[in-house]
Amino acid sequence: MKLNFPMNLMTCVVLAFTLSACESNSAQPASPMLAKSALQFVDLAGFDRDLSASLSAPLPRVEVAFYDRITPSAVPERLQHWMAAVELGGGSVKVVSPKSSVTAKSPFLIISLASSLWSASKMVKDLSSKAQFKPAQVFDAEILLKVDDKGESVVDKVVFLQRTK
């Protein structure tokens, strides 16, 4: 029986490199979520995971835009949970009116947004036990409004701004 020693040695070296590569990958968390500074709101649990990952990353600003037209009086409940988490951490939630000379047809929509955010503060007790909302507690939030083509105020985007320590 003839052994091909250099080939066996080479096989061992390749195997050792392969195993060490596998070992170093196993020490890292399995497929970490990618943090994004800009997200699109979709009323699904996946949005919560994405926003939590982005707010957990060292990003000073995270913007949430909308596919649909959202009126200030109808901010989705899923997003209200995030606003309540901001307030729970001592942050502020501001409504920023559009910088336009055109006045919105119904300024009462802005007032109704403030009241819906107040009702969101009732969610604080529920949120304190949910770990996914904790990253929002070191942020402030701004709800940026714009005037649409009908002259009505709608939510343009929500911006989470990391508070300075």
Side-chain angles (χ1 to χ4, degrees):
M1 181 168 144
K2 181 179 176 186
L3 293 175
N4 188 352
F5 184 72
M7 186 60 172
N8 288 338
L9 180 60
M10 183 57 98
T11 303
C12 289
V13 170
V14 169
L15 182 60
F17 280 123
T18 303
L19 290 176
S20 67
C22 290
E23 183 179 332
S24 66
N25 286 339
S26 65
Q28 297 175 355
S31 67
M33 292 187 191
L34 296 175
K36 300 175 186 174
S37 61
L39 301 170
Q40 290 287 326
F41 178 79
V42 179
D43 201 3
L44 298 171
F47 170 78
D48 291 332
R49 286 189 300 271
D50 292 345
L51 184 55
S52 183
S54 293
L55 296 178
S56 296
L59 297 172
R61 177 184 178 103
V62 177
E63 294 185 8
V64 177
F66 298 90
Y67 288 114
D68 296 327
R69 182 179 180 274
I70 304 290
T71 62
S73 61
V75 173
E77 186 174 333
R78 181 174 304 280
L79 202 52
Q80 287 185 27
H81 281 83
W82 287 100
M83 301 295 113
V86 165
E87 290 178 342
L88 178 65
S92 66
V93 177
K94 291 188 229 175
V95 179
V96 181
S97 298
K99 295 177 185 174
S100 171
S101 60
V102 178
T103 304
K105 285 185 180 178
S106 179
F108 295 107
L109 289 176
I110 296 171
I111 294 168
S112 65
L113 173 62
S115 68
S116 71
L117 289 175
W118 177 82
S119 66
S121 68
K122 295 176 185 178
M123 301 174 196
V124 169
K125 290 180 185 175
D126 296 334
L127 296 178
S128 61
S129 64
K130 294 187 179 179
Q132 75 178 358
F133 294 106
K134 289 198 185 295
Q137 294 180 2
V138 297
F139 283 82
D140 289 325
E142 293 181 350
I143 301 170
L144 304 178
L145 302 180
K146 68 178 181 179
V147 177
D148 68 3
D149 56 350
K150 296 177 184 176
E152 298 175 358
S153 289
V154 295
V155 178
D156 182 28
K157 59 186 161 186
V158 175
V159 180
F160 292 88
L161 300 162
Q162 191 168 41
R163 290 191 307 270
T164 55
K165 296 179 182 179

